[in-house]
Amino acid sequence: MEKKTEKILDLFRSELIVVNVGPKSFADVLEKQGFETLQVDYKPAAGGDRRMMEMLEYLGGY
Amino acid sequence: MAVYYKIIKDHYIDSLETLAQTTKLCDQPGIETGYVGMATQTFKDIVSEIGLACDQILAASEGDYVVAAKADTEEAFEKALKAISESASGASSKTRQTYLTVEQAASARPQANLCQISVPGEFALDVAKRALNAGMHLCVFSNNVPLEDEREMKELAREKGLLCMGPDCGVANINGSALVLSSIVNRGPFGIIGASGTGIQHVTAMLHEAGSGVSQAIGAGGNDIKEQVGGITMLMGIDALEEDPETKYLILIARKPAPSVLEKMLERLRSCRKPRVVYFMGCDRKAIEDTGSIYAGNLDECGERALELAGLACSLESEEEILALARKEAEGFAREQKYLRGAYSGGTYMDEAMRVMVDKIGPIWSNAPLEEAWRLEDSLKPRENACIDYGEEEFTLGRPHPAIDAGIRRPAILKEAADPEVAVITLDFILTPPGHPDPAGFVVPDIIKAQEMARERGGKLVFIASLLGTTADYQDIRLQEKKLRDAGAIVCRTNYRAALLASEIIRLIREKA
């Protein structure tokens, strides 16, 4: 039986390849550090100011 | 000097990118002030406030991209536009393929092994499930994710044996990377599992500065230790790092876990085979020590105890050194100067600072106070000894966090300096790869001016700063420290020490009076 930590240890042993869903800048800084990224363009639904506000709101959560 | 603008219809640029463009725009020759963004109501409010509004901008719709600036000439504005568009295309890899869904990206690159998710909280679960089903580990930066959604994504991750960092995970270092807002740090023997972004960044930076580093730093997200989530990620992190051959020592950092979660963690720690330091804020020392773990009572101690495990030390100022410096600095104030003001960009740091200060000088007024009775009615009108967290929603609505958008806190410096009763101002600076390229340099002119204002009144103003970051960060912590010192500020090695120095100066002023 596969150990429950096996997939996580696999991640630690592998080259990190990141799929970035959200602001491209987060992918840019990973590429600047030498990591491969793939960008999924997340777009807020058209015409929803509420959603735009939420899009920005998550940035407040550091 | 006139206002110029450019509007591109239906052109979406995310908020981090528009912020970077605003910074670039304001740096261009011939530009007095400028602002870039999507034409939302918040954007319109801001441009109106800073005198850049015009009918065309106010009539633009939310899907429109706007650059507005007060410029010497139209030519200067055109040149600035060219500069920001060049920097935008240079920053974003031209060759990077973009995809519409997680599934498309995963099938294009089946080796992709981590999905970094920063979408509005209510949509995070949907994206997370797609990524988990595609076999990827997660780093979820989104916040405001409902707790039941967090539980669901973490249970699914656990079932699949995948790591779910976050939601609300701002700091994680996996395989040598600095994800989201983490500092760039060396690799080394310390494996970290934390439910506090600032806490993880603080300790990883200490390890780096002492010449060591991290094997992996796993951010669980602040809610992981709540009853409803049950510490799923913290516990999986301990299991994984205990098995990881590169990890020799473990460090656990969190606010105090909920009772049932704490019990599970203590039980797990009792059987842990690796040496470990545990800092659970406000948690009983004996409970931690009874598990065979090393107890830390604050973030500085957590880093120090960990380094001792590896036979290393970090050069933090001793308490005696700080008290001696306070005695020296407590001279030369005008008679009415007796209070300190803290302008913080991080909530965790402000909380830590206020706990130090209150022991020395009593109540600290705040917009996020230690006790409800000390809550400021108006955050823009601080009184007596006060600390303001500029990362609170009242300041960040429609803008990124001050760790990224240094402009949010900037006005505080001259405002506090204009108050003749203020003697000491504390400032924290958090370095992060997507953050402001020069956060210290950005406020240096204000620090110099503030000190001049105090001297003209016959007193002096003491600025005490602390910086969170490393020499590997793009802003370079040494360079940032130097800029602040050259401007006359005192730079302490840590936030805790900055708070100790600031409150001791105020205590001495009070004693003399």
Side-chain angles (χ1 to χ4, degrees):
Chain A
M1 198 182 122
E2 189 179 58
K3 273 174 88 174
K4 60 180 179 177
T5 53
E6 202 45 48
K7 284 183 185 164
I8 302 177
L9 294 174
D10 261 354
L11 167 70
F12 294 167
R13 286 189 289 259
S14 308
E15 179 196 351
L16 184 72
I17 301 173
V18 177
V19 171
N20 183 59
V21 189
K24 286 191 191 73
S25 323
F26 288 135
D28 292 337
V29 292
L30 279 171
E31 294 212 336
K32 200 169 166 188
Q33 296 169 50
F35 295 91
E36 182 183 342
T37 67
L38 293 91
Q39 174 67 26
V40 172
D41 274 344
Y42 181 86
K43 287 193 175 65
D49 185 53
R50 185 180 63 84
R51 292 190 174 181
M52 186 60 204
M53 291 306 293
E54 283 165 353
M55 182 73 187
L56 289 161
E57 198 174 271
Y58 80 84
L59 287 164
Y62 180 41
Chain B
M1 193 68 68
V3 171
Y4 300 91
Y5 65 90
K6 182 181 173 78
I7 299 173
I8 304 179
K9 298 292 286 177
D10 298 321
H11 182 66
Y12 178 72
I13 306 249
D14 70 62
S15 56
L16 279 182
E17 222 166 304
T18 56
L19 176 66
Q21 292 183 11
T22 299
T23 306
K24 183 93 188 170
L25 174 65
C26 295
D27 279 350
Q28 298 307 306
I31 302 291
E32 186 190 280
T33 182
Y35 206 68
V36 182
M38 301 300 294
T40 60
Q41 191 53 50
T42 309
F43 176 83
K44 291 173 189 173
D45 291 347
I46 293 171
V47 291
S48 301
E49 199 178 301
I50 58 181
L52 297 175
C54 64
D55 292 347
Q56 290 81 352
I57 293 176
L58 296 177
S61 68
E62 285 159 11
D64 301 342
Y65 162 83
V66 181
V67 181
K70 206 174 275 179
D72 286 342
T73 60
E74 189 168 357
E75 196 193 351
F77 179 67
E78 292 296 333
K79 276 191 179 158
L81 275 179
K82 196 157 173 271
I84 60 172
S85 95
E86 277 167 5
S87 93
S89 58
S92 251
S93 162
K94 284 176 192 161
T95 54
R96 188 195 303 142
Q97 179 79 43
T98 59
Y99 301 88
L100 293 175
T101 65
V102 171
E103 290 85 349
Q104 276 182 8
S107 64
R109 191 78 168 95
Q111 295 88 342
N113 45 15
L114 188 129
C115 187
Q116 184 169 265
I117 300 170
S118 321
V119 301
E122 66 184 283
F123 305 112
L125 177 61
D126 176 56
V127 181
K129 280 190 197 164
R130 289 163 185 269
L132 290 169
N133 287 328
M136 284 184 265
H137 301 271
L138 303 180
C139 176
V140 184
F141 180 47
S142 308
N143 72 348
N144 294 325
V145 175
L147 283 181
E148 57 272 22
D149 287 10
E150 174 162 351
R151 175 94 197 186
E152 193 178 333
M153 74 174 78
K154 286 185 168 172
E155 280 179 344
L156 181 61
R158 183 170 59 185
E159 191 187 306
K160 291 177 176 294
L162 297 166
L163 192 58
C164 178
M165 296 186 284
D168 203 8
C169 171
V171 177
N173 299 83
I174 298 297
N175 296 4
S177 68
L179 294 167
V180 202
L181 304 176
S182 317
S183 271
I184 298 174
V185 294
N186 284 332
R187 301 204 72 179
F190 293 96
I192 301 179
I193 310 132
S196 156
T198 306
I200 301 175
Q201 193 179 354
H202 184 98
V203 174
T204 60
M206 278 178 79
L207 300 173
H208 175 100
E209 290 289 292
S212 189
V214 303
S215 53
Q216 310 288 348
I218 295 170
N223 289 329
D224 191 68
I225 50 172
K226 287 190 175 159
E227 204 82 50
Q228 298 94 317
V229 184
I232 293 176
T233 302
M234 291 287 283
L235 292 165
M236 285 178 73
I238 298 172
D239 290 346
L241 292 179
E242 191 176 36
E243 296 288 329
D244 173 35
E246 304 300 321
T247 301
K248 295 202 166 38
Y249 316 101
L250 298 187
I251 301 171
L252 271 76
I253 304 165
R255 286 174 184 272
K256 192 174 182 178
S260 69
V261 181
L262 179 63
E263 204 173 300
K264 272 192 271 184
M265 296 244 246
L266 294 176
E267 194 188 320
R268 178 64 187 84
L269 285 169
R270 270 190 280 274
S271 64
C272 183
R273 301 186 304 273
K274 288 185 177 172
R276 57 213 174 265
V277 177
V278 177
Y279 172 44
F280 291 160
M281 302 170 201
C283 192
D284 179 44
R285 178 179 200 123
K286 188 170 179 301
I288 302 290
E289 288 182 342
D290 283 352
T291 66
S293 309
I294 296 166
Y295 169 87
N298 59 50
L299 285 171
D300 290 0
E301 236 181 77
C302 185
E304 288 177 305
R305 293 294 93 78
L307 285 164
E308 281 164 16
L309 279 174
L312 296 165
C314 49
S315 55
L316 300 182
E317 305 94 337
S318 69
E319 189 154 340
E320 293 70 38
E321 285 171 325
I322 289 178
L323 297 182
L325 182 57
R327 282 192 291 277
K328 184 173 148 246
E329 289 295 333
E331 305 294 329
F333 290 108
R335 184 183 292 269
E336 64 272 26
Q337 288 186 282
K338 54 188 173 224
Y339 295 128
L340 73 77
R341 298 286 158 79
Y344 288 86
S345 53
T348 303
Y349 268 172
M350 184 174 86
D351 199 73
E352 180 184 56
M354 292 194 301
R355 285 178 198 283
V356 174
M357 292 166 178
V358 75
D359 283 347
K360 284 199 175 281
I361 55 175
I364 306 294
W365 295 88
S366 179
N367 59 340
L370 294 177
E371 288 187 22
E372 208 41 45
W374 305 336
R375 182 174 293 280
L376 284 168
E377 271 179 38
D378 181 350
S379 305
L380 296 174
K381 290 181 186 155
R383 52 186 287 198
E384 299 165 11
N385 295 307
C387 290
I388 307 294
D389 176 8
Y390 285 86
E392 284 281 307
E393 199 179 61
E394 60 189 305
F395 296 106
T396 58
L397 200 63
R399 297 179 77 171
H401 190 276
I404 295 176
D405 184 352
I408 294 179
R409 182 180 61 175
R410 184 172 180 176
I413 296 174
L414 290 176
K415 190 167 70 67
E416 299 293 10
D419 183 341
E421 290 190 326
V422 172
V424 176
I425 295 178
T426 59
L427 300 168
D428 64 337
F429 293 86
I430 299 178
L431 311 185
T432 167
H436 193 283
D438 184 16
F442 182 66
V443 296
V444 154
D446 293 348
I447 291 177
I448 292 171
K449 189 167 175 201
Q451 292 173 107
E452 280 168 10
M453 284 159 63
R455 276 195 294 273
E456 279 164 18
R457 289 195 298 257
K460 69 170 189 176
L461 195 52
V462 174
F463 278 90
I464 302 175
S466 70
L467 296 93
L468 173 55
T470 70
T471 49
D473 278 320
Y474 301 130
Q475 299 89 347
D476 189 344
I477 189 167
R478 290 288 100 74
L479 193 65
Q480 295 292 308
E481 285 171 353
K482 184 173 185 307
K483 287 186 182 189
L484 291 166
R485 286 201 177 101
D486 289 349
I490 297 170
V491 178
C492 288
R493 287 298 307 277
T494 67
N495 177 61
Y496 176 90
R497 284 159 162 79
L500 193 63
L501 176 60
S503 48
E504 178 64 10
I505 294 173
I506 298 300
R507 195 191 67 78
L508 288 169
I509 292 174
R510 199 181 278 177
E511 203 175 74
K512 281 181 197 167

